[in-house]
């Protein structure tokens, strides 16, 4: 595609923005260009709508079924591969016996692994799709696992430390113990605390890992030594896995963690704040029409529903909006 200037914004940057591949600097440039005029905002909104409509409508029903089948078989092959690796491991484990016990617990699954070779006893809790799963750790700390998150922890903590491993998103209420630090390790960052309440989100599929502090104090550090930050309540640490940049933002911390009790409270929130919370809650992308009203604020509580469309219908009772859902993208315009 030939590059040409579109009101001082290159078509190449716009293409990267639409495909979700632009850098942070380019994203700032796009936002600045959009704010220059209402026409720019309208133009970008239409381009996003056309792009996403085209992206999802280019396949026939038969093609969509074939694509879904391929993805399913790929997932099954991956699971078979994992099982083969486990069987191979058992063949060469000469001195260690491994026992695995699976327990079904209120919408989640807990695996207990015991390896006699080094007296290591590990628990693995996995939250089911669409359920928030509560886990009580050996020290009494409570962890709520979000959609399909995985938590690994020892059956008993050692005398000097409390270490757990998280993949996905979880809300922590850590029991205070100044003599035994509590550390959460993930694929990108680790959080160290003595006793506090925080939310940690670190998914291998996402380029941003983040920790948000609700109460107390936590230390956040990148696994590759990307800085070290002490957070105070109301702050969120974000690590960009691509460039290794660790930054701190002032946020409404409670909104980052409301998923664990299935409620989304709003206090004098505008449409931007509300849609951002819905994006985090339902893992969707919401695109607002440039002519939507932004001056009004709303207060209340939204109850989590099984899907985003049910929430949007409830929202229409208070806010005059229309919406269009295309795959994982939602276009919101004034009614």
């Amino acid at each position: 595609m030939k590059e040409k200037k579109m009101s001082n914004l290159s078509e190449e940057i716009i293409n990267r923005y639409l495909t979700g591949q632009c850098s942070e600097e380019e994203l700032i440039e796009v936002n600045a260009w959009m704010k220059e005029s209402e026409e720019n905002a309208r133009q970008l909104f239409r381009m996003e709508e056309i792009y996403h409509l085209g992206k999802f409508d280019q396949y026939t029903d038969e093609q969509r079924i074939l694509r879904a089948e391929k993805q399913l078989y790929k997932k099954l092959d991956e699971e078979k591969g994992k099982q083969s690796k486990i069987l191979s491991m058992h063949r060469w484990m000469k001195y260690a016996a491994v026992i695995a016990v699976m327990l079904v617990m209120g919408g989640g699954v807990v695996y207990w692994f015991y390896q006699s070779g080094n007296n290591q006893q590990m628990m693995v809790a996995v939250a089911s799709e669409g359920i928030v799963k509560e886990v009580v750790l050996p020290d009494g700390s409570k962890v709520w696992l979000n959609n399909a998150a995985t938590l690994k922890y020892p059956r008993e903590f050692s005398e000097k430390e409390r270490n757990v491993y998280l993949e996905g998103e979880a809300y922590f209420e850590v029991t205070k113990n100044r003599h035994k630090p509590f550390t959460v390790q993930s694929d990108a960052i680790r959080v160290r605390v003595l006793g506090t309440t925080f939310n940690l989100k670190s998914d291998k599929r996402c380029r941003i890992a983040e920790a948000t502090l609700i109460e107390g104090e936590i230390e956040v550090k990148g696994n590759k030594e990307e800085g070290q930050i002490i957070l105070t309540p109301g702050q969120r640490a974000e690590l960009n896995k691509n460039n290794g940049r660790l930054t701190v933002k002032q946020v409404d911390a409670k909104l980052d963690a409301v998923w664990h009790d299935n409620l989304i409270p709003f206090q004098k929130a505008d449409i931007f704040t509300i849609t951002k919370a819905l994006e985090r809650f339902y893992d969707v992308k919401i695109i607002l029409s440039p002519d939507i009203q932004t001056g009004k604020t709303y207060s209340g509580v939204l109850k989590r529903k099984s899907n985003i469309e049910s929430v949007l219908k409830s929202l229409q009772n208070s806010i005059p909006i229309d919406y269009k859902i295309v795959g994982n993208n939602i276009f919101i315009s004034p009614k």
Side-chain angles (χ1 to χ4, degrees), residues 5 29 62 74 77 104 138 160-161 175 197 211 223 233 246 314:
K5 293 292 181 180
E29 188 177 345
E62 186 177 350
K74 182 181 179 183
D77 289 339
V104 179
K160 295 182 178 180
E161 57 189 8
T175 301
T197 304
N223 289 344
L246 184 63
S314 297

Side-chain angles (χ1 to χ4, degrees), residues 94-292:
K94 189 174 181 180
Y95 301 104
V98 177
I99 303 172
V101 180
M102 183 178 75
L103 303 172
V104 179
M105 299 176 62
V109 178
V110 174
Y111 300 90
W112 170 25
F113 293 93
Y114 174 70
Q115 186 171 332
S116 62
N118 55 8
N119 282 332
Q120 189 176 27
Q121 302 176 54
M122 294 297 294
M123 304 289 284
V124 181
V126 183
S128 301
E129 289 283 345
I131 298 177
V132 178
K133 168 65 187 167
E134 182 180 350
V135 180
V136 179
L137 300 182
D139 65 338
S141 296
K142 293 182 180 179
V143 185
W144 284 262
L145 300 177
N146 204 357
N147 190 25
T150 300
L151 181 73
K152 299 177 184 178
Y153 59 97
R155 194 159 183 247
E156 294 293 338
F157 287 125
S158 69
E159 293 181 3
K160 295 182 178 180
E161 57 189 8
R162 297 173 288 171
N163 297 330
V164 302
Y165 182 88
L166 173 71
E167 182 176 331
E169 183 172 18
Y171 176 88
F172 291 81
E173 289 183 356
V174 179
T175 301
K176 291 183 179 180
N177 187 336
R178 295 190 176 278
H179 304 291
K180 191 184 292 189
F182 186 99
T183 302
V184 185
Q185 183 75 51
S186 70
D187 73 306
I189 59 176
R190 58 183 178 271
V191 174
R192 185 174 181 271
V193 303
L194 296 175
T196 191
T197 304
F198 64 97
N199 195 76
L200 176 60
K201 185 176 183 180
S202 185
D203 194 315
K204 292 179 179 178
R205 298 167 296 179
C206 301
R207 67 183 181 90
I208 301 293
E210 56 189 51
T212 306
L213 181 61
I214 290 90
E215 294 178 5
E217 184 178 279
I218 60 174
E219 173 190 281
V220 181
K221 191 176 184 180
N223 289 344
K224 299 178 181 178
E225 307 301 323
E226 303 99 330
Q228 181 173 319
I229 297 173
I230 303 295
L231 294 186
T232 56
Q235 290 184 328
R236 180 201 298 154
E238 295 184 357
L239 175 66
N240 188 314
K241 300 178 188 177
N242 294 340
N243 58 27
R245 185 181 300 169
L246 184 63
T247 57
V248 175
K249 294 182 178 178
Q250 201 70 32
V251 297
D252 187 344
K254 290 182 180 179
L255 283 182
D256 279 9
V258 291
W259 59 264
H260 90 280
D261 56 11
N262 290 322
L263 297 175
I264 314 177
F266 294 109
Q267 186 66 35
K268 294 183 178 178
D270 58 24
I271 189 68
F272 293 110
T273 303
I274 294 171
T275 53
K276 282 298 178 186
L278 293 179
E279 282 184 329
R280 291 179 61 84
F281 215 80
Y282 289 95
D283 195 22
V284 295
K285 181 179 181 183
I286 298 178
I287 301 164
L288 295 174
S289 172
D291 54 352
I292 201 162

